[in-house]
Amino acid sequence: MRKKLVAGNWKMNKNLQEGIELTSEIINMVRDEVIGNVEVVICPPFIALSSLINLTQGQKNIKIGAQNCHQELSGAYTGEVSAAMLKSIGCQWTILGHSERRQYFGETNQLLAQKVNTALSQSLKVMYCCGETLEQRNNNEHFNIIENQVSEGLFHLSAEVMKNMVIAYEPVWAIGTGVTASTEQAQEIHAFIRDLLVEKYGNETAQSLRILYGGSVKPDNAVELFSQKDIDGGLIGGAALQSRSFTEIVKAAQ
Ligand code: PEP
């Protein structure tokens, strides 16, 4: 049984005070006995990581993660944050390869493979994002795009390491648009990704790894999405910015 995971990606939203307030509300609303078997990861901007890690100290099922990290451990990279720095503050997770990073910051699968290695070298857990644009889907290129993103970014890893990776399928056309992939569309791609994993790593590894869906997940569509065989939770953007909608989604994953 794969443990469901619900992660909130705050993107460039919430100042420190707002972040503390939101996280405190989430802690109160999402008690361990309420979320039971769901893992929750909150990914605020870098400036809030340390405070939120302290705030969630002792919370069994709520962890804090970064939204990105650099591919080098240190050096002359003005404005960047390294995986080693994240580790030094007790950060346990990072998102890598979000479509906004690919689109606005030119992150390629090759660069992401390096970032994955660096993050893993610091014992960070990684949520690796993939997803096609609307144009790619309309041109029927989505299976190829996903296969390239997953294989070029991750398939250099051993089966042992791969088991603990998390992949987030986030169709770009569904992110922040209010348009969600239908459950059939989402399940189809999740099953496709799992098949790629079976082919490369065998069934045991493929069945251990969690695949999240992201793209306009809301309390009213979460239950159906999360009940699909290969959907192991969600990466949530807009709905993670309010405690009520986020905790409703967490409860939907139970
Ligand atoms: C995201 O940015 O990862 C995301 C899924 O955003 P939203 O839920 O707002 O579509």
Side-chain angles (χ1 to χ4, degrees), residues 52-108:
L52 299 191
I53 288 166
N54 287 337
L55 191 63
T56 52
Q57 213 59 251
Q59 297 293 322
K60 208 162 63 105
N61 287 326
I62 304 181
K63 300 292 173 219
I64 302 297
Q67 298 171 16
N68 178 38
C69 66
H70 197 266
Q71 64 275 19
E72 299 294 339
L73 285 178
S74 65
Y77 301 101
T78 302
E80 291 292 321
V81 171
S82 78
M85 293 169 184
L86 295 176
K87 185 184 180 187
S88 76
I89 59 165
C91 185
Q92 295 187 15
W93 282 89
T94 187
I95 298 171
L96 288 176
H98 190 280
S99 65
E100 287 150 18
R101 300 288 320 168
R102 292 176 185 267
Q103 189 182 345
Y104 304 134
F105 301 94
E107 295 194 356
T108 61

Side-chain angles (χ1 to χ4, degrees), residues 9 11 98 100 170 174-177 214-218 235-239:
N9 172 18
K11 312 191 185 191
H98 190 280
E100 287 150 18
E170 300 205 301
I175 295 180
T177 58
S216 298
V217 177
K218 305 282 181 246
L235 180 53
I236 319 299

Side-chain angles (χ1 to χ4, degrees), residues 17-31:
Q17 290 70 31
E18 292 166 342
I20 290 173
E21 202 175 306
L22 175 55
T23 305
S24 305
E25 287 170 13
I26 293 170
I27 291 171
N28 285 333
M29 293 166 86
V30 183
R31 295 252 162 240

Side-chain angles (χ1 to χ4, degrees), residues 147-166:
E147 180 167 359
N148 289 342
Q149 290 173 337
V150 171
S151 62
E152 292 174 10
L154 298 178
F155 278 10
H156 60 285
L157 299 172
S158 69
E160 211 42 51
V161 173
M162 196 66 177
K163 260 185 199 169
N164 296 313
M165 291 293 298
V166 170

